[in-house]
Amino acid sequence: MNWAVADVVGIREETPTARTLMLRVPDWKGALAGQHIDIRLTAPDGYQAARSYSLSSAAGDPVVAVSVELMPDGEVSPYLVRGVSVGDQLEVIGPLGGWFVWRPEQTEPIRMIGGGSGVAPLVSILRTHIASGNTAPVKLLYSVRSPEFVYFRDELAELTDAAKAEVTLQYTRHAPPGWTGTLGRIDAARITAWAAGDAPDASTYICGPTRFVELASDALVAAGVDPMTIRTERFGGA
C-alpha cells in the first residue's frame, strides 16, 4: 500500500469547528465500514506530519469522506478544517484498520456509542448497513456538547430512519428548547441503563475521546457484556 494523491472534490461544514472532506482517491477499491485513512501534509522545508481519520462514507462509496475536528494545537487538522478548498490535493494512504470494522454479513445486533467526532465511523456503519440491505437491529447512543456540534445533523434522522435504528442523543452542556431527554456527561449508570435488555450477542462499537471510550467499555463489561464483543477506537491530541 502506497501513498496516493487524492483530489478534494467536496467540503461540508459539520460544526463550528469541524468539516467533512470528500476525496477522490486514485484506484480506490472501497473499504470496510469503520476503517480509516491517514492524511499526510508536507511543509516547504520537507517536514511531514500525518494523522488518522475515520471514514464516514459507506464502504462501497467511490468518493471517500472523512470528518475532521479542529485541534487548536494540531499540526494537520487546522489546515484541513480552515485551509483546504475544493480542487486541492492531499496525500493519503489506506484504507487502514481491521478490528474496528463491521461487515454486511454480520447478522447480530449492532450497538454503537459515539462521543463528538467519534460518531464518524459509526455513520459509516449506518450507511453501509443501509446500502447492504442488512436487517440486523441497530442502536446508537451519541454524546455531544450541544445541538450546533452534532455531526451530520442534516442527515442523521434520515440515516437512522432508513436503518430502522434506535437513536439516543445525550447533550452534555446545552440542550435545544423543549428537550425532554437527559442532560450532562454520560456516566456508567447511563451506559448501563441504555444497554439494559440488549441481546447478549450484540456487537458493540465505541468511538470517541480516550476517557469516554474507557468509561463506556468498562461500564458494559461491569454489566456483564462479553469484552470480546466490544470494539473500541479512541482519539486525542498527538
Side-chain angles (χ1 to χ4, degrees):
M1 189 178 295
N2 299 309
W3 289 92
V5 178
D7 295 313
V8 180
V9 297
I11 294 174
R12 183 177 63 242
E13 304 302 328
E14 295 291 350
T15 77
T17 57
R19 61 180 2 185
T20 292
L21 305 178
M22 277 71 81
L23 309 174
R24 194 172 298 281
V25 182
D27 302 319
W28 183 258
K29 295 178 174 61
L32 296 174
Q35 285 189 305
H36 63 274
I37 61 171
D38 284 359
I39 298 179
R40 182 171 70 184
L41 303 182
T42 303
D45 63 0
Y47 175 77
Q48 294 181 320
R51 297 291 183 268
S52 299
Y53 295 101
S54 295
L55 303 180
S56 51
S57 45
D61 285 358
V63 173
V64 175
V66 292
S67 302
V68 182
E69 176 74 25
L70 174 66
M71 308 296 285
D73 298 324
E75 293 184 308
V76 176
S77 66
Y79 176 69
L80 298 182
V81 175
R82 300 291 188 232
V84 168
S85 301
V86 172
D88 288 347
Q89 293 184 316
L90 296 169
E91 281 191 291
V92 306
I93 191 169
L96 305 170
W99 170 245
F100 193 83
V101 297
W102 180 83
R103 295 173 172 84
E105 58 266 29
Q106 293 178 224
T107 58
E108 74 278 4
I110 308 165
R111 177 170 50 207
M112 304 188 294
I113 305 173
S117 62
V119 76
L122 309 183
V123 165
S124 176
I125 292 173
L126 270 177
R127 287 173 167 155
T128 305
H129 179 276
I130 294 165
S132 68
N134 190 295
T135 58
V138 184
K139 65 184 299 186
L140 167 65
L141 176 60
Y142 182 20
S143 173
V144 63
R145 68 179 83 169
S146 55
E148 65 269 27
F149 286 94
V150 174
Y151 279 63
F152 314 103
R153 57 188 176 277
D154 295 332
E155 303 173 81
L156 199 55
E158 182 180 337
L159 287 171
T160 52
D161 283 348
K164 297 180 180 178
E166 173 193 326
V167 179
T168 303
L169 278 172
Q170 173 86 21
Y171 294 110
T172 62
R173 297 185 187 177
H174 305 288
W179 177 248
T180 58
T182 56
L183 179 67
R185 291 187 179 275
I186 282 181
D187 57 16
R190 180 78 174 101
I191 296 289
T192 302
W194 173 80
D198 289 350
D201 64 336
S203 282
T204 303
Y205 297 84
I206 309 171
C207 185
T210 298
R211 280 184 160 182
F212 175 89
V213 170
E214 290 177 349
L215 182 151
S217 56
D218 288 350
L220 290 175
V221 171
V225 174
D226 181 354
M228 293 305 295
T229 66
I230 301 174
R231 292 172 171 82
T232 63
E233 187 166 88
R234 60 201 73 199
F235 55 79

